[in-house]
Amino acid sequence: MNREKSARLHEQAMDVILGGVNSPSRSFKAVGGGAPVTMERAQGAYFWDVDGNRYIDYLAAYGPIITGHAHPHITKAISEAAANGTLYGTPTPWEIKFATMIREAIPSMERIRFNNSGTEAVMTCIRVARAYTGRVKVIKFAGCYHGHSDLVLVAAGSGPSTLGIPDSAGIPQSIASEVITVPFNDTEAFREAIRVWGAETACVLVEPIVGNFGIVPPKPGFLESVNEIAHEAGALVVYDEVITAFRFCYGGAQNLLGVEPDLTALGKIIGGGLPIGAYGGRREIMEQVAPLGPAYQAGTMAGNPASIRAGIACLEVLKQPGVYEEFERLGALLEAGIRKSADAHGIKVQVNRVKGALAVYFTDHPVYDYDTAQAADGELFARFFRLMLDEGICLAPSKYEAWFVTTAHTEADIRDTIAAVDRSFAKL
Ligand code: PMP
């Protein structure tokens, strides 16, 4: 597949955009480097790059594009918003409608605030939890990404009773040392962390189904135990549902799994492809936030009619009957095809899947936490990734990023993808 123009544009980009990309995950660094593909147009389940090549898209922009690209219902909503002014700096009727829709779907979000990104939503949940509890420390699970604010870019120390170390330059050790990191799906490690730090812990930050090192569901009882142990210690439970909300059902993973947090952070899907974040939770906790309470959070762009109306339109599409059943059907078909092909070619893979989101790990060990995901063979994935790109299949350039099926994918797309997987496995 010829991608000369992409390569040329990448050289130009390197000269003016830092690293040639506006988010590091878009670079091909994790798959051996080189020019990322520069896309020019997207429609439904497909991308076209600047050289005119077509790809079936499983990146879905790292999650938000659950209805496929340029969905007519969402495009219409955005056009109408644009024609009526994109930013008011006042209350609007659409934000009330949208908050009501979200609360109906995720009842634990008794009061809601919109902002502009998942990063902001999580960052503010932590501030609110700290304001409410009067405590400082935060417990998170290893490998889970919660945006790029200082507090959550922290890696595990060497055990549950050791404090975090910054995962990025520019983050003070004093901030990192407020974070305790424990392995996902390890109730005993969490219990130990709470035993040591519980009295100082404002909140525990949880992706109820992990979406940031592939797709990793909680073991039965894990989330229930986290809730119980955290609450016993007086700490709040914050669900980061930036990836998970409206992906597996019309609601949060919390609704699918039947566990309720105190606060929830949202993003991605709820913007219908435009920038958005939202957070919310129990009324008395949310009442910490200005103008009602002493915790400050604000935003010039927050609740802008374009993002809000795109979000409403996106949820209207997802609320149609049969949407999540179809994700399950197509996801299961894709999973079965990948497994069958891997068996036929003697390639050891693990496929983790919930509905239309799946992860393919090149490892023979089940993946249930960050360490087991890290064990996946990155070199083998890099070769697979490039073979798939040449087959016209766009995946994320990372050995454990999820593949997302959208409402635009057809059974024919899935079958074409399975055939491409089979040819790629044959060449590995
Ligand atoms: N939380 C989770 C679980 C995420 O996956 C992400 C983004 N990948 C974020 C927070 C941050 O969201 P944003 O990129 O919109 O700031």
Side-chain angles (χ1 to χ4, degrees):
M1 199 179 263
N2 177 3
R3 283 190 287 268
E4 273 171 28
K5 207 169 163 193
S6 260
R8 270 204 315 278
L9 283 178
H10 183 57
E11 273 172 34
Q12 283 177 30
M14 287 291 283
D15 190 48
V16 62
I17 294 172
L18 196 278
V21 287
N22 278 306
S23 195
S25 54
R26 297 175 197 173
S27 98
F28 277 12
K29 197 173 167 191
V31 287
V37 185
T38 299
M39 298 296 181
E40 193 166 50
R41 191 161 70 83
Q43 189 78 49
Y46 310 117
F47 266 145
W48 287 264
D49 70 12
V50 287
D51 291 281
N53 302 304
R54 194 197 82 161
Y55 304 83
I56 304 178
D57 176 24
Y58 289 97
L59 189 59
Y62 290 86
I65 306 299
I66 193 164
T67 62
H69 297 280
H71 189 288
H73 189 59
I74 299 176
T75 302
K76 182 165 169 273
I78 295 172
S79 302
E80 283 173 13
N84 286 285
T86 51
L87 190 61
Y88 297 2
T90 70
T92 73
W94 303 290
E95 60 193 9
I96 306 167
K97 175 176 177 182
F98 195 31
T100 305
M101 284 173 84
I102 290 175
R103 185 171 63 183
E104 276 166 11
I106 309 176
S108 74
M109 299 180 77
E110 293 173 0
R111 292 291 183 276
I112 293 171
R113 263 286 171 77
F114 291 109
N115 51 24
N116 305 302
S117 67
T119 295
E120 283 183 57
V122 174
M123 189 176 84
T124 312
C125 282
I126 294 170
R127 181 171 302 151
V128 174
R130 284 172 156 180
Y132 184 77
T133 59
R135 300 172 176 185
V136 171
K137 288 198 161 42
V138 172
I139 301 181
K140 71 184 279 288
F141 293 97
C144 291
Y145 179 72
H146 300 289
H148 63 275
S149 71
D150 280 1
L151 198 75
V152 289
L153 271 188
V154 170
S158 56
S161 54
T162 58
L163 297 170
I165 45 168
D167 223 3
S168 156
I171 296 177
Q173 180 59 46
S174 59
I175 288 183
S177 66
E178 304 301 354
V179 182
I180 297 109
T181 307
V182 296
F184 189 70
N185 268 329
D186 187 339
T187 305
E188 287 320 305
F190 180 66
R191 197 188 302 280
E192 172 65 5
I194 284 283
R195 192 186 62 74
V196 178
W197 301 108
E200 294 172 56
T201 300
C203 65
V204 48
L205 198 50
V206 190
E207 274 187 277
I209 294 173
V210 176
N212 271 300
F213 41 87
I215 295 292
V216 179
K219 289 182 177 167
F222 176 67
L223 294 178
E224 289 80 354
S225 298
V226 166
N227 261 16
E228 194 184 311
I229 296 164
H231 286 153
E232 244 170 51
L236 299 186
V237 175
V238 177
Y239 276 8
D240 178 346
E241 295 232 37
V242 169
I243 283 198
T244 51
F246 298 98
R247 181 163 314 285
F248 310 117
C249 68
Y250 187 83
Q254 58 192 270
N255 307 104
L256 185 77
L257 301 169
V259 271
E260 261 193 11
D262 302 293
L263 291 167
T264 298
L266 305 178
K268 299 205 188 230
I269 287 175
I270 64 155
L274 291 189
I276 204 164
Y279 68 97
R282 286 221 320 272
R283 177 179 160 177
E284 76 266 23
I285 300 172
M286 286 298 288
E287 283 178 351
Q288 292 296 318
V289 179
L292 298 189
Y296 196 68
Q297 175 266 319
T300 302
M301 299 289 169
N304 73 80
S307 294
I308 296 287
R309 293 178 75 171
I312 291 171
C314 181
L315 293 201
E316 283 169 350
V317 173
L318 293 175
K319 206 171 183 178
Q320 297 302 309
V323 165
Y324 292 92
E325 287 79 359
E326 185 66 358
F327 284 146
E328 173 61 30
R329 190 180 76 84
L330 294 183
L333 191 65
L334 184 54
E335 177 186 353
I338 294 168
R339 285 187 189 281
K340 191 168 164 218
S341 174
D343 280 352
H345 297 288
I347 292 170
K348 298 252 186 310
V349 296
Q350 302 294 315
V351 186
N352 283 11
R353 180 180 69 83
V354 181
K355 302 283 164 96
L358 59 82
V360 180
Y361 307 88
F362 288 91
T363 170
D364 53 8
H365 195 282
V367 174
Y368 53 82
D369 64 7
Y370 188 49
D371 283 351
T372 48
Q374 281 281 34
D377 186 335
E379 215 164 290
L380 202 56
F381 173 79
R383 284 168 54 209
F384 175 69
F385 170 80
R386 284 172 197 278
L387 288 165
M388 290 291 276
L389 211 52
D390 286 341
E391 288 278 355
I393 310 288
C394 183
L395 306 173
S398 153
K399 69 178 182 180
Y400 44 50
E401 201 75 48
W403 307 27
F404 295 118
V405 175
T406 72
T407 59
H409 287 87
T410 63
E411 187 169 329
D413 293 325
I414 302 294
R415 294 204 185 278
D416 288 350
T417 305
I418 293 168
V421 167
D422 195 60
R423 287 189 294 271
S424 300
F425 279 174
K427 290 182 192 155
L428 276 184

